[in-house]
Amino acid sequence: MFAQRQLAYAPTPYSYTPTSSLAASISLDEVCKQHLPRAKCARLNMVKEVRLFSTSGERDLYESLAEIYSIAVTLDALEKAYLKDSIPESEYTETCSRLLKQYKSNLADENVASAFVDLETFKREWDMEVPRATERLRIGLPATVEAPSQSYKSATQGQGTAAAATHIVAVSENFITLFDAIKMGMLSKDTLHPILVETIQAVNKVTDQDFESKGKIVQWLITLNQMRAAEEVSADQARDLEYDMTQAYRGFKATLG
């Protein structure tokens, strides 16, 4: 059914990646007319290439910022396509997850993160209007994972007894891994966030029930998503996280009967 429908979202960010010859051409004609004698203007080349970088490091920086820009534009179009049911949920989930990973990967570079500052600053600087991408980047999860639809639930939960048991084990393993990380003082975003992502994904494959503190998993994912990769939660936050996830784990086990 979907094969005959034109997808209403942009290509992947790599279609926008700048070439190694980042440069811009400007006309000096108006500048000459305003500031130089006519005779001197006639001897000048009226078109000049202005390079946007002078070192390979600067080139890499501009390429990364350009890719972040294209990721935001692409993600915004992808979100619109998903809302219009113009793309299969499985394809949306895969594409959205890939874009989010590319976004985080670019910002893992300290120079890029410093030039980027934050999403709101970046949007103002480049006059971007991407409200749907902004919300998705804030949450850091595909919509199908944040709040699974009925079709997603059917696809992930109707896989037989053996598969269901595997998903239940995965949920338990992820919760235990999270508790161990907290107890060992491994409190950085790049440690905790991936564990929580795997936890909510595993939970959604087992049950669609809104059990006690399930929403806390998503809330903590959003909190961690606002942090830099090496940034750590405070001791108070760690205690709150452990408490909330303990309650969520108990709520999950209660759904199993």
Side-chain angles (χ1 to χ4, degrees), residues 17-255:
T17 302
T19 64
S20 58
S21 58
L22 280 170
S25 294
I26 62 173
S27 173
L28 300 179
D29 186 53
E30 292 300 322
V31 177
C32 281
K33 287 180 180 179
Q34 294 179 24
H35 302 286
L36 295 177
R38 181 176 299 178
K40 182 172 290 187
C41 282
R43 294 196 299 269
L44 288 176
N45 182 6
M46 292 297 100
V47 178
K48 180 177 180 62
E49 183 178 76
V50 180
R51 297 192 67 80
L52 301 180
F53 61 86
S54 56
T55 67
S56 60
E58 289 180 353
R59 185 189 68 183
D60 291 342
L61 174 62
Y62 285 124
E63 287 184 344
S64 294
L65 293 175
E67 186 161 342
I68 291 173
Y69 183 99
S70 69
I71 288 171
V73 172
T74 302
L75 186 55
D76 199 67
L78 179 67
E79 291 294 308
K80 292 177 183 177
Y82 175 67
L83 291 174
K84 294 178 180 178
D85 197 28
S86 298
I87 179 174
E89 290 191 0
S90 59
E91 186 174 343
Y92 162 80
T93 303
E94 178 184 354
T95 304
C96 185
S97 297
R98 183 171 66 249
L99 292 173
L100 292 172
K101 287 179 181 178
Q102 291 169 347
Y103 175 79
K104 294 172 184 176
S105 177
N106 276 285
L107 290 177
D109 185 291
E110 291 185 2
N111 292 330
V112 176
S114 178
F116 178 78
V117 184
D118 57 52
L119 183 56
E120 292 303 322
T121 301
F122 187 77
K123 285 163 53 183
R124 285 195 300 271
E125 181 176 358
W126 299 104
D127 194 25
M128 299 180 70
E129 292 289 341
V130 285
R132 292 175 178 82
T134 300
E135 181 65 8
R136 190 55 49 210
L137 291 170
R138 183 185 73 87
I139 295 173
L141 292 170
T144 47
V145 176
E146 177 198 3
S149 67
Q150 190 58 48
S151 59
Y152 177 85
K153 294 168 187 173
S154 299
T156 55
Q157 294 171 18
Q159 299 176 0
T161 304
T166 300
H167 296 321
I168 292 172
V169 171
V171 173
S172 297
E173 288 178 344
N174 283 309
F175 272 114
I176 292 171
T177 300
L178 177 63
F179 297 143
D180 288 344
I182 296 173
K183 290 175 182 176
M184 294 172 63
M186 302 169 65
L187 305 177
S188 65
K189 171 193 173 177
D190 56 5
T191 296
L192 300 177
H193 191 272
I195 301 173
L196 279 179
V197 170
E198 292 183 4
T199 301
I200 191 64
Q201 289 176 333
V203 165
N204 288 336
K205 291 177 181 178
V206 176
T207 179
D208 58 357
Q209 295 184 41
D210 189 16
F211 54 81
E212 181 183 3
S213 294
K214 180 180 179 181
K216 290 288 187 179
I217 303 175
V218 174
Q219 290 179 18
W220 275 106
L221 278 167
I222 295 173
T223 298
L224 291 169
N225 198 49
Q226 310 308 308
M227 299 166 55
R228 294 186 181 276
E231 189 177 351
E232 295 187 349
V233 298
S234 66
D236 288 341
Q237 286 179 311
R239 284 192 292 271
D240 290 341
L241 173 59
E242 184 174 16
Y243 175 80
D244 289 340
M245 293 306 99
T246 299
Q247 296 302 110
Y249 189 30
R250 289 173 181 170
F252 168 74
K253 289 191 290 186
T255 67

